[in-house]
Amino acid sequence: MSMWSFTVFWALAALGVFGLWVTLLILGPNRMFRGTAVERAYFAVTETLPEALERWMRSGVGDALAARAERAWNALFGRRNPMFQIFGVVLYWTGLAVFFVQVAPYIPNRYAASWQWVPIGATLAANIGSYIAACAADPGVVSAENVDAACQVFGYDHLLYFERDCRTCLQCKPARSKHCSACQRCVQMMDHHCIWLNNCVGLGNARWFLCFLATFSIVCVYGTYLVGTVILELRHVHGLADGAVIWDELGRPVQLSFKSSVLYLFDGYPLLAVLFVLLLVLTPAIGIFTAYQLRITALGYTSNEETKWLNISDAVKDGVVFAVRDHEDTPHETIQVIEKEDQADDARPRRPISHLRHVPNMYDRGPWLNLKFVLFPPRPESVPKAHQS
């Protein structure tokens, strides 16, 4: 094996490890992988490993140096920090540079027509534009100036959200908002803090985030296809198709199979190989995450609220969720959690909830209206009265 072969092998191996790490960061926290090896690996990477490293440092180098390392870690990962954003942007544009240097010259080819440049340009423009918008847009920060208006957007369901003040911001906390520990601010309809955007994803920029994910999924799938066509074209250009024969280092003839011909090409085009493997790793991860985000948006909840619904599901199994009426002659019921130690003292009429599907989601307008609300968020004064508190 030549020096280039070793270089390509280790580059692809390192890229595979990096791809797995990114995949864990993207998919690990999501409900669909709850209780699976993906979730266990995510917690091992993000919690178990750092805790073990901290214990080792405290025992090996002392508490003072370990405390400095912990502060540095919190500065990098516990606060808003552009490190991952810069890394992602550099990786993205490096991939584009490789595409235009080693892929673009072979388009069109016998597998891809010249009109492919129209969707290539449109998809890249939409993807880059939506990313910039998601990074720059106000995600829906709750401030002293807009807190009253923010509290009018969603009503309190008294199941997931209750009227209370944020303990950090010391102001009223609107329903569906969450205080972001990284940004140190409350965000309306908070979904999550995205390290790749260096911004929260909330009511103000969720549409741009969804657009970025959708177009990035297309970029990955389309890019994989285009790079694949160029690899096939290069087999013909270099005479490696149809059972080509090459000579090894000892001068012996070797007939190349399809797999061997592709690996032989990668030996001469290492950057093309790295780009192809990166796309193969990212495509399923980004595709799954995009499908997940579109699904929860259509169902009328956020990834932040998904954890709350999991807690409600556990409460239903524990037998502490009830449909409660304030009085015997009142037909209206509200869903409430009544802990077992409080049930004997609560004389209100109630019936137990046996399954999570019997718990209505106040914020679910139906799939189409949920998507429309996120893609075209209304002003507070235009929110339907049914969703006001």
Side-chain angles (χ1 to χ4, degrees), residues 249-262:
E249 296 174 351
L250 299 178
R252 295 172 299 189
V254 177
Q255 187 170 9
L256 291 180
S257 63
F258 175 81
K259 176 183 175 181
S260 299
S261 67
V262 172

Side-chain angles (χ1 to χ4, degrees), residues 63-316:
D63 290 342
L65 187 58
R68 293 193 188 96
E70 184 178 3
R71 287 194 295 270
W73 178 272
N74 289 332
L76 289 174
F77 300 102
R79 292 290 181 265
R80 191 178 184 188
N81 187 296
M83 182 183 67
F84 283 102
Q85 183 184 31
I86 293 172
F87 176 76
V89 169
V90 170
L91 185 64
Y92 185 96
W93 284 99
T94 301
L96 276 184
V98 173
F99 177 85
F100 282 107
V101 171
Q102 296 208 334
V103 178
Y106 297 97
I107 299 175
N109 56 53
R110 69 192 69 202
Y111 304 100
S114 57
W115 60 261
Q116 301 278 2
W117 282 110
V118 175
I120 289 173
T123 305
L124 287 176
N127 186 232
I128 295 170
S130 59
Y131 177 78
I132 294 173
C135 293
D138 179 357
V141 176
V142 181
S143 64
E145 291 75 22
N146 68 3
V147 63
D148 292 336
C151 288
Q152 298 301 312
V153 178
F154 300 106
Y156 296 92
D157 62 354
H158 299 101
L159 182 67
L160 304 182
Y161 299 100
F162 301 85
E163 296 91 338
R164 66 183 182 89
D165 289 347
C166 175
R167 290 175 292 182
T168 305
C169 298
L170 302 179
Q171 63 185 11
C172 184
K173 193 170 185 178
R176 306 195 77 184
S177 68
K178 183 180 184 296
H179 185 86
C180 176
S181 59
C183 296
Q184 291 296 301
R185 57 192 184 181
C186 284
V187 176
Q188 297 180 68
M189 208 177 81
M190 168 82 162
D191 189 271
H192 69 287
H193 180 86
C194 181
I195 59 175
W196 308 106
L197 301 180
N198 194 31
N199 198 7
C200 294
V201 176
L203 181 62
N205 66 345
R207 54 180 171 176
W208 301 119
F209 180 68
L210 288 177
C211 182
F212 165 69
L213 286 181
T215 54
F216 193 35
S217 296
I218 296 173
V219 166
C220 290
V221 172
Y222 200 26
T224 303
Y225 160 73
L226 291 172
V227 174
T229 66
V230 169
I231 290 172
L232 295 177
E233 178 69 17
L234 287 173
R235 291 179 69 244
H236 291 278
V237 170
H238 292 277
L240 299 176
D242 302 323
V245 175
I246 63 170
W247 281 262
D248 63 15
E249 296 174 351
L250 299 178
R252 295 172 299 189
V254 177
Q255 187 170 9
L256 291 180
S257 63
F258 175 81
K259 176 183 175 181
S260 299
S261 67
V262 172
L263 293 176
Y264 184 79
L265 273 178
F266 284 173
D267 196 29
Y269 295 86
L271 293 179
L272 182 66
V274 169
L275 178 62
F276 188 59
V277 173
L278 179 62
L279 288 170
L280 288 177
V281 171
L282 285 180
T283 297
I286 299 299
I288 292 172
F289 185 62
T290 301
Y292 162 77
Q293 286 292 147
L294 289 172
R295 176 181 177 273
I296 65 174
T297 301
L299 292 177
Y301 61 91
T302 64
S303 59
N304 170 55
E305 291 167 348
E306 185 173 46
T307 302
K308 295 178 180 290
W309 281 111
L310 285 173
N311 293 336
I312 297 298
S313 178
D314 292 338
V316 169

